């Protein structure tokens, strides 16, 4: 029960940080930080895959609701939730995942978390920015946005991940 409350709190905090803080900051046209996907990334390994898809869709819909982006983040959240299973399989430790361990740096190390996070972040950002531009005409501009925003998102996600871990 306490774990469920913890993840509900993560959902609310990450949603509020995304919509009330990060979406209001305009550093450059090339940089957008998306921290809300950390919620999908941190869900327990034993979470039902259909529930992960539903939660990814719900988180994206909530971001869309606050940002008036008409389904852009809902589709990206759903895509990240779908790809999460494959990323977990791709980066699975030799002895596999333990069901009672959380998916975090403390349990699997920085290298594992970095590869896992950057995979999901790049897929999310490629989807968001190519769907946003809906064209390959400005492909270099879009790829620059993907690259810079991915680095920014990774830095913010690592910061929040470490902050959330230190609260335990």
């Amino acid at each position: 029960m306490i774990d469920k409350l913890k993840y509900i709190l993560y959902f609310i905090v990450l949603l509020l940080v995304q919509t009330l803080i990060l979406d209001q900051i305009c550093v450059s046209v090339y940089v957008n930080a998306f921290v809300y996907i950390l919620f999908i990334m941190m869900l327990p390994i034993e979470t039902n895959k259909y529930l992960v898809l539903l939660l990814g869709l719900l988180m994206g819909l909530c971001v869309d609701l606050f940002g008036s982006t008409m389904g852009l983040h809902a589709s990206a959240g759903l895509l990240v939730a779908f790809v999460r299973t494959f990323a977990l399989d791709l980066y699975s430790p030799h002895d596999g995942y333990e069901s009672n361990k959380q998916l975090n740096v403390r349990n699997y190390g920085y290298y594992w978390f970095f590869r896992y996070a950057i995979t999901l972040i790049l897929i999310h950002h490629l989807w968001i920015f190519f769907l946003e531009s809906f064209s390959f005409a400005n492909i270099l501009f879009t790829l620059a946005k993907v690259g810079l925003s991915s680095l920014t998102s990774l830095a913010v996600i690592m910061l929040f991940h470490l902050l959330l871990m230190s609260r335990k």
Side-chain angles (χ1 to χ4, degrees), residues 85-113:
T85 305
F86 300 107
L88 287 171
D89 288 343
L90 182 65
Y91 302 123
S92 177
H94 293 294
D95 52 349
Y97 296 105
E98 293 183 32
S99 62
N100 59 349
K101 281 190 174 180
Q102 290 185 320
L103 296 173
N104 60 35
V105 169
R106 186 180 301 136
N107 291 329
Y108 296 103
Y110 284 98
Y111 182 66
W112 175 88
F113 190 81

Side-chain angles (χ1 to χ4, degrees), residues 103-158:
L103 296 173
N104 60 35
V105 169
R106 186 180 301 136
N107 291 329
Y108 296 103
Y110 284 98
Y111 182 66
W112 175 88
F113 190 81
F114 174 80
R115 291 185 307 157
Y116 173 62
I118 200 68
T119 301
L120 295 180
I121 291 168
L122 280 172
I123 289 169
H124 175 270
H125 285 42
L126 283 166
W127 181 263
I128 287 276
F129 293 124
F130 275 107
L131 204 56
E132 181 182 68
S133 70
F134 211 67
S135 168
F136 289 109
N138 296 323
I139 194 165
L140 293 177
F141 175 73
T142 305
L143 289 174
K145 279 179 80 169
V146 168
L148 292 172
S149 294
S150 294
L151 291 174
T152 305
S153 294
L154 180 64
V156 173
I157 282 174
M158 288 299 288

Side-chain angles (χ1 to χ4, degrees), residues 8-145:
I8 291 170
L9 184 64
Y10 286 170
F11 184 96
I12 293 168
V13 167
L14 291 171
L15 177 65
L16 291 176
V17 166
Q18 181 66 52
T19 57
L20 299 178
I21 298 172
L22 294 176
D23 285 352
Q24 308 306 318
I25 297 172
C26 182
V27 176
S28 166
V29 294
Y30 292 101
V31 177
N32 297 59
F34 297 109
V35 73
Y36 72 91
I37 60 176
L38 178 60
F39 173 74
I40 301 164
M41 292 167 47
M42 287 183 61
L43 287 172
I45 190 75
E46 63 270 356
T47 305
N48 182 301
K49 62 183 172 183
Y50 298 112
L51 180 58
V52 173
L53 290 172
L54 181 65
L55 291 172
L57 178 66
L58 182 62
M59 177 60 96
L61 282 172
C62 289
V63 173
D64 284 332
L65 182 67
F66 281 101
S68 302
T69 49
M70 299 184 296
L72 184 66
H73 293 281
S75 65
L78 190 61
L79 178 64
V80 168
F82 179 76
V83 172
R84 175 185 183 260
T85 305
F86 300 107
L88 287 171
D89 288 343
L90 182 65
Y91 302 123
S92 177
H94 293 294
D95 52 349
Y97 296 105
E98 293 183 32
S99 62
N100 59 349
K101 281 190 174 180
Q102 290 185 320
L103 296 173
N104 60 35
V105 169
R106 186 180 301 136
N107 291 329
Y108 296 103
Y110 284 98
Y111 182 66
W112 175 88
F113 190 81
F114 174 80
R115 291 185 307 157
Y116 173 62
I118 200 68
T119 301
L120 295 180
I121 291 168
L122 280 172
I123 289 169
H124 175 270
H125 285 42
L126 283 166
W127 181 263
I128 287 276
F129 293 124
F130 275 107
L131 204 56
E132 181 182 68
S133 70
F134 211 67
S135 168
F136 289 109
N138 296 323
I139 194 165
L140 293 177
F141 175 73
T142 305
L143 289 174
K145 279 179 80 169

